[in-house]
Amino acid sequence: MSKGAPGATPGFLVWRLANKWRVAVDRAVAPLGLTHAQYSLVASLHGMQRAGERPSQRRLADHTGLEALYVSKLARALEAAGLIERTRDPRDPRAVQLGLTEQGQAVTRQAIAVVQELLQQLLEPLGGLDAPRTRAFTEELTTLLDAPLAPPVPSHESTQSRGTTP
């Protein structure tokens, strides 16, 4: 898809950009034995651990925007690969806490470096990672991500405008 794609909606463009990014990250981290989703989990876990947090699977799901069940599945695979450890939360026996192993920390640091280079390449058309256009783009994305999405509620006017009667 090029710049001149007539009729492209913002939603379509966001979807295309997200897919482009996912594929690029998948390819970049594959040599480290990770997928994009696994990278998102370990990179987030790395940042949270550096801030002194040992998050639960639920907390990590909330942080990443992934479904809790999917985080659980990813965590099991990453545990089997020796990259994370899952332990019971001493304060809540139903909760599972996650932490990177030493091997997981090393792989995650490598993956973060690879993805940072990729991010710089992706943002080059905006002037690079530290450019004003990139900061503005980041602010716009944050605004959109922070806006709650509720299911649309049909209003009386929209029902009438479609030619139906109450």
Side-chain angles (χ1 to χ4, degrees):
M1 182 162 155
S2 68
K3 291 180 188 179
T9 65
F12 180 75
L13 295 173
V14 167
W15 177 73
R16 287 287 310 264
L17 183 60
N19 281 321
K20 178 180 179 176
W21 180 248
R22 183 192 50 78
V23 168
V25 173
D26 268 337
R27 289 179 182 153
V29 298
L32 298 170
L34 297 172
T35 65
H36 181 257
Q38 290 172 329
Y39 167 76
S40 297
L41 197 96
V42 296
S44 294
L45 187 54
H46 176 75
M48 295 169 97
Q49 278 187 216
R50 288 185 61 191
E53 190 175 346
R54 185 168 173 100
S56 67
Q57 286 184 172
R58 164 55 64 192
R59 169 80 178 96
L60 192 56
D62 292 343
H63 178 80
T64 60
L66 297 170
E67 293 292 326
L69 192 58
Y70 190 45
V71 168
S72 178
K73 179 183 173 184
L74 290 170
R76 281 193 200 95
L78 290 164
E79 181 181 40
L83 301 180
I84 69 168
E85 57 187 10
R86 300 166 67 235
T87 57
R88 290 282 170 208
D89 186 334
R91 297 163 301 196
D92 181 357
R94 297 167 297 161
V96 175
Q97 289 181 317
L98 302 175
L100 290 168
T101 63
E102 284 186 39
Q103 178 188 358
Q105 289 175 19
V107 168
T108 300
R109 282 192 297 271
Q110 288 178 300
I112 288 170
V114 166
V115 172
Q116 279 299 112
E117 286 180 30
L118 186 60
L119 185 58
Q120 182 65 33
Q121 181 184 349
L122 176 73
L123 295 171
E124 197 58 43
L126 299 181
L129 194 55
D130 298 320
R133 285 182 67 196
T134 298
R135 283 192 295 279
F137 179 61
T138 301
E139 288 172 16
E140 298 291 352
L141 290 172
T142 301
T143 298
L144 293 173
L145 286 169
D146 288 346
L149 283 181
V153 178
S155 69
H156 182 67
E157 294 100 38
S158 67
T159 303
Q160 285 185 346
S161 70
R162 289 191 300 242
T164 60
T165 56

